[in-house]
């Protein structure tokens, strides 16, 4: 990492480096900073989990409906716990910065094959919350959702710390 301490030298020359910098400035002009906090009441994570990959799913929803969404997510956690779910998922919400009508769900994985894990969530949800509750609550969640994005990140141990 000692290279990081050295000034950057562009192999294309100083003029190209300046042009690249201007291009990056144009692209990053509208960056928004968000501070996120874990929502413990709906998160479900084993303390001994092994992390090599994470899947981040960001859901933006209609303003003013966090209470409705949180209620569904509380029921979802109860269903997963009652059904013996093996899934590790953390939920984060913005605090004090950025738009507040969104949340991020983070799933943790040790191996690529963990992405193949499927639980019968609809059955678990209905068993815990009443017959037909899964279809009703998923429809409500979809009605309140503006957009969803998802990405997988591979964690690099050489750049990470875990404590």
């Amino acid at each position: 990492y000692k290279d990081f301490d050295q000034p950057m030298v562009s192999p294309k020359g100083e003029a190209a480096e300046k042009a690249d910098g201007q291009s990056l400035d144009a692209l990053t002009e509208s960056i928004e900073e968000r501070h996120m906090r874990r929502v413990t009441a709906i998160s479900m994570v084993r303390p001994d989990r092994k992390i090599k990959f994470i899947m981040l799913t960001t859901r933006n929803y209609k303003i003013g409906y966090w209470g409705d969404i949180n209620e569904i997510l509380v029921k979802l956690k109860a269903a997963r716990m009652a059904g013996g779910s093996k899934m590790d998922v953390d939920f984060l919400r913005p605090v004090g910065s950025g738009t507040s009508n969104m949340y991020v769900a983070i799933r943790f994985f040790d191996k690529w094959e963990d992405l193949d894990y499927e639980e019968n969530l609809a059955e678990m949800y209905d068993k815990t919350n009443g017959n037909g509750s899964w279809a009703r609550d998923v429809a409500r969640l979809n009605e309140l959702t503006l957009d969803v994005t998802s990405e997988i990140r591979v964690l690099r141990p050489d750049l990470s710390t875990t404590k």
Side-chain angles (χ1 to χ4, degrees):
Y1 295 101
K2 66 181 180 182
D3 296 14
F4 291 155
D5 294 326
Q6 305 302 316
M8 189 184 105
V9 177
S10 176
K12 297 183 269 180
E14 195 174 315
E17 182 181 344
K18 185 176 179 181
D20 287 349
Q22 288 172 336
S23 297
L24 284 173
D25 286 347
L27 291 172
T28 59
E29 236 174 70
S30 64
I31 281 185
E32 181 178 304
E33 187 174 321
R34 281 195 181 120
H35 300 278
M36 307 290 277
R37 179 175 293 153
R38 182 174 194 256
V39 184
T40 305
I42 56 178
S43 295
M44 210 175 118
V45 180
R46 292 184 311 269
D48 62 341
R49 71 184 180 272
K50 291 183 170 70
I51 306 170
K52 291 186 182 172
F53 311 97
I54 59 174
M55 177 186 287
L56 290 107
T57 303
T58 302
R59 184 178 298 261
N60 293 297
Y61 55 86
K62 295 177 182 176
I63 294 173
Y65 288 97
W66 171 247
D68 294 30
I69 290 169
N70 186 57
E71 183 180 314
I72 293 169
L73 296 176
V74 165
K75 292 180 196 176
L76 179 61
K77 179 181 178 180
R80 280 190 168 136
M81 291 182 78
S85 176
K86 298 176 188 173
M87 190 177 295
D88 278 342
V89 62
D90 249 344
F91 288 90
L92 306 174
R93 291 217 46 234
V95 289
S97 64
T99 57
S100 61
N101 62 315
M102 58 86 67
Y103 68 87
V104 177
I106 304 172
R107 287 181 56 196
F108 302 91
F109 303 97
D110 183 38
K111 303 175 289 249
W112 282 109
E113 71 184 73
D114 292 343
L115 289 170
D116 292 332
Y117 171 69
E118 288 192 30
E119 55 191 7
N120 193 343
L121 200 49
E123 185 179 303
M124 284 193 286
Y125 197 89
D126 279 351
K127 187 174 180 180
T128 306
N129 299 294
N131 197 26
S133 59
W134 173 254
R136 179 194 67 235
D137 288 349
V138 166
R140 179 68 174 147
L141 191 59
N142 288 335
E143 174 189 326
L144 298 176
T145 298
L146 299 173
D147 64 76
V148 178
T149 57
S150 196
E151 62 185 85
I152 293 177
R153 294 185 183 180
V154 178
L155 301 179
R156 291 187 46 193
D158 58 321
L159 297 177
S160 303
T161 59
T162 55
K163 294 184 181 187

